[in-house]
Amino acid sequence: MDSTLEGACRDAETQLAQDSPISEAYLCANDIVAYGFIKALRDHGYEIPRDVSIVGFDNLPMSEVIEPALTSVNVPKQKIGAMAIRLLDDLIVSKESQPAVKVLVSGNLVVRKSVGGVPNKT
């Protein structure tokens, strides 16, 4: 799907118009795509989370205030930025070529009302 709100909605509309059965839940590439997908689902008469659960990725501030509030994976953006700066600084000051580095930063699921069957939703 397109990564803009309008594009994600348009792409979802195209898929939903094919009258294929929808899945029970979807994990979207980011919260913006999730917002567009939710709009398209609603336009086709689906209710979230009764008919389908939606999860985003990024935990943007807007995710808390849209209706229903979007469940999203929260990633530590400041930690990722600080780590990237440290790695870049190492590359700049090093006199020798540096090997590639892989960094794993974990996130956490912020459960809200866009998913069904989960207790303790905020």
Side-chain angles (χ1 to χ4, degrees):
M1 284 200 192
D2 192 282
S3 61
T4 65
L5 179 65
E6 297 81 13
C9 185
R10 181 187 60 245
D11 291 349
E13 289 278 351
T14 300
Q15 292 295 316
L16 292 168
Q18 295 177 3
D19 286 330
S20 300
I22 64 167
S23 295
E24 184 178 314
Y26 292 90
L27 172 61
C28 297
N30 60 49
D31 288 356
I32 300 294
V33 169
Y35 305 154
F37 191 37
I38 287 171
K39 180 179 180 343
L41 285 165
R42 284 185 170 158
D43 290 349
H44 280 262
Y46 293 103
E47 289 185 37
I48 294 100
R50 188 193 74 189
D51 300 323
V52 58
S53 294
I54 305 295
V55 177
F57 192 94
D58 288 338
N59 195 33
L60 296 177
M62 186 71 179
S63 298
E64 212 171 343
V65 297
I66 69 163
E67 189 56 42
L70 179 65
T71 295
S72 187
V73 177
N74 185 48
V75 291
K77 296 166 194 78
Q78 288 181 334
K79 185 174 184 178
I80 292 169
M83 193 168 289
I85 289 170
R86 267 186 256 124
L87 291 171
L88 183 58
D89 184 56
D90 288 347
L91 289 172
I92 291 169
V93 298
S94 176
K95 303 226 185 273
E96 298 176 8
S97 178
Q98 297 293 307
V101 176
K102 264 190 182 180
V103 178
L104 176 64
V105 179
S106 64
N108 62 302
L109 184 66
V110 179
V111 180
R112 297 192 181 102
K113 295 182 179 180
S114 68
V115 295
V118 179
N120 300 323
K121 291 186 267 182
T122 58

